[in-house]
Amino acid sequence: MAEHLQKTGIPSGSQDKVSVLDSGPEMAEPKLAVDPVATSNLSAKAPEFYPSGYNQNFNQNFTDSSFDDRCDGYLTLAEYVQDFLNHLTEQPGCFETEIEQFAETLNGWVIADEALQELVELIYQQATSVPNFSYMGARLCNYLSHHLTISPQSGNFRQLLLQRCRTEYENRDEATKGDETTRKQFHAFVLFLAELYLNLEIKGTKGQVTRAEILQEGLRELLNALFSNPVDSNLICAVKLLKLTGSVLEDAWKEKGKNDMEEMIQRIENVVLDANCSRDVKHMLLKLVELRSSNWGRVHGTTPHAEATPENDPNYFMNEPTFYTSDGVPFTAADPDYQEKYQELLEREDLFPYYEENGADLSGPGELYFDEIDDEMDPEIEEAYEKFCLESEHKRKQ
């Protein structure tokens, strides 16, 4: 073996690096090193994923049994309410069918000030910590504000809810300057307050339904706080807030003779010019200004009972079809020469009176329109066609 290693030029000290068979007259071929196969940490038996804020101990009674039995087995109000909130988060379509029974159950359980405050806190935390629950949370708050019977000296459900929101509202300046986590929590609160403004109905003494005036003023101050600290996350939150409530806020301010929305738009334009924010955020702000200039996307200048005309409706011709002249020039009903061009189009279509646009034959028995058409070719065309056929036959034979 040593002699063989010397002949092959391999040092004797490297014998342990060469793999050989223990038997046989010839040495085995060296084995190639193979990289180990990477193993994955994923497993089919891994626990099910739940979004942040979701209770993994969700009670299946909400889907497997009648609602009358769902409060059975709960030791505390918090456990019952949290399970219902999680159920509503996962299946928002159940709101209409189950909210009435939920409110009735709460009326039998929430009979003290502490219980009502605990209920408010649970809903507030769910609405500001679980993504996409702010709208459903606002609807839930509106329903409970009208259907919970308890009204202690400390305040009813709506009053306690607004007091809880005020606690967060008063820290707005510090929150907009805080770290990323603090700002994220604050932004969730801002969007929940916007949903409350749109969904929380307050019935007046004469039965009229209005929005909470205090929330309108609060949203204006929150916008000022966000624009006063123009980092990207604050500006994105402001854009979302104005897209959600801008049209309603502007209408409410105009009714009072206020010009607050003009001031907001001016602040946005100043941010675009001066703030050190990203290009994408500046683009979002400019798109918001454009949205507002189109009256927040609403059709402007038409009355509910007036017939739409080209003069009072800018979208009058939006869904009109496009036609083409014999020269291939497009035209629509908005074209000044529409009638003349359209009449020309109708005359051209009369060449095929028995055929619809999709080519369906409408001719009846004995009305074979195309049989009456002279199918003889023009002499010049016929000569060219015969020449083409002869050339093709000649090439084929070659």
Side-chain angles (χ1 to χ4, degrees):
M1 179 64 68
E3 292 178 359
H4 182 78
L5 291 175
Q6 290 176 359
K7 290 180 181 179
T8 55
I10 300 177
S12 58
S14 303
Q15 294 180 20
D16 57 336
K17 298 181 181 180
V18 181
S19 176
V20 296
L21 295 175
D22 294 334
S23 61
E26 297 181 358
M27 184 180 67
E29 293 290 334
K31 294 182 179 179
L32 297 177
V34 179
D35 293 335
V37 178
T39 58
S40 172
N41 294 327
L42 298 178
S43 171
K45 299 180 179 180
E48 186 176 357
F49 168 77
Y50 292 93
S52 60
Y54 186 81
N55 182 7
Q56 297 188 21
N57 297 321
F58 169 69
N59 196 308
Q60 293 297 325
N61 288 338
F62 278 103
T63 56
D64 297 337
S65 63
S66 64
F67 203 106
D68 295 335
D69 300 331
R70 289 173 187 169
C71 57
D72 294 343
Y74 289 102
L75 299 178
T76 63
L77 170 68
E79 183 183 2
Y80 171 69
V81 173
Q82 190 62 58
D83 269 359
F84 180 78
L85 294 177
N86 292 337
H87 169 62
L88 206 57
T89 301
E90 186 174 278
Q91 301 182 35
C94 298
F95 180 87
E96 300 291 345
T97 57
E98 300 187 357
I99 185 60
E100 182 178 354
Q101 185 61 54
F102 176 67
E104 290 180 5
T105 304
L106 289 181
N107 281 326
W109 204 327
V110 180
I111 56 177
D113 295 8
E114 295 77 9
L116 185 59
Q117 291 177 354
E118 184 180 20
L119 173 64
V120 168
E121 184 64 24
L122 287 169
I123 297 175
Y124 175 85
Q125 290 297 333
Q126 185 85 357
T128 56
S129 62
V130 177
N132 303 322
F133 191 76
S134 56
Y135 167 70
M136 189 58 63
R139 289 186 64 194
L140 178 61
C141 290
N142 179 59
Y143 189 92
L144 294 181
S145 68
H146 295 294
H147 293 85
L148 285 184
T149 55
I150 182 175
S151 184
Q153 294 182 349
S154 59
N156 58 28
F157 177 85
R158 184 176 68 245
Q159 291 169 335
L160 291 179
L161 174 65
L162 294 178
Q163 289 176 17
R164 178 63 182 87
C165 292
R166 185 176 184 84
T167 302
E168 196 75 25
Y169 167 80
E170 291 176 345
N171 297 325
R172 59 189 181 280
D173 293 328
E174 293 78 8
T176 56
K177 299 175 184 178
D179 58 22
E180 183 178 352
T181 302
T182 302
R183 291 200 306 270
K184 185 177 179 180
Q185 293 173 349
F186 176 71
H187 298 156
F189 158 71
V190 170
L191 296 179
F192 174 56
L193 205 69
E195 293 287 5
L196 277 179
Y197 176 63
L198 297 177
N199 291 279
L200 192 61
E201 299 174 344
I202 299 178
K203 295 181 180 179
T205 55
K206 298 181 180 180
Q208 73 277 18
V209 177
T210 61
R211 291 188 170 91
E213 186 81 13
I214 190 173
L215 294 181
Q216 180 189 129
E217 298 303 318
L219 290 176
R220 180 171 57 81
E221 294 303 320
L222 289 173
L223 283 168
N224 287 330
L226 291 168
F227 286 126
S228 297
N229 298 278
V231 297
D232 281 3
S233 59
N234 285 342
L235 295 176
I236 292 173
C237 179
V239 169
K240 290 180 179 179
L241 173 57
L242 284 173
K243 280 186 175 181
L244 185 63
T245 63
S247 60
V248 180
L249 286 174
E250 184 167 13
D251 291 345
W253 288 335
K254 282 183 177 179
E255 287 180 4
K256 299 178 181 179
K258 293 183 178 181
N259 221 16
D260 290 17
M261 188 56 70
E262 291 291 345
E263 296 177 5
M264 291 296 169
I265 297 300
Q266 185 61 51
R267 294 199 69 172
I268 292 175
E269 292 174 348
N270 292 338
V271 167
V272 172
L273 292 174
D274 302 330
N276 188 24
C277 57
S278 69
R279 183 178 61 180
D280 290 341
V281 171
K282 287 184 179 181
H283 181 70
M284 291 176 62
L285 293 170
L286 290 174
K287 284 294 184 181
L288 180 66
V289 174
E290 182 180 338
L291 177 65
R292 191 259 177 174
S293 65
S294 67
N295 194 26
W296 303 102
R298 300 177 294 185
V299 175
H300 173 68
T302 59
T303 57
H305 304 289
E307 183 179 355
T309 66
E311 289 74 25
N312 65 17
D313 186 356
N315 298 319
Y316 184 80
F317 296 114
M318 180 179 293
N319 297 318
E320 288 291 328
T322 300
F323 301 101
Y324 293 87
T325 66
S326 58
D327 300 328
V329 178
F331 69 95
T332 65
D335 194 301
D337 301 327
Y338 169 75
Q339 291 294 341
E340 179 181 347
K341 294 178 179 178
Y342 188 68
Q343 185 61 38
E344 178 188 349
L345 178 66
L346 292 178
E347 292 174 356
R348 285 194 289 123
E349 289 183 347
D350 284 342
L351 293 174
F352 306 96
Y354 298 107
Y355 280 77
E356 288 185 324
E357 292 182 1
N358 61 0
D361 186 0
L362 300 180
S363 61
E367 297 179 350
L368 299 178
Y369 175 76
F370 285 104
D371 290 347
E372 301 173 4
I373 298 179
D374 185 5
D375 59 355
E376 292 185 2
M377 288 189 289
D378 184 270
E380 185 177 352
I381 297 177
E382 186 176 3
E383 181 182 355
Y385 177 71
E386 291 177 354
K387 183 179 179 181
F388 168 76
C389 291
L390 291 173
E391 291 178 352
S392 299
E393 182 66 17
H394 180 68
K395 290 181 179 179
R396 186 179 66 81
K397 291 181 178 180
Q398 286 180 348

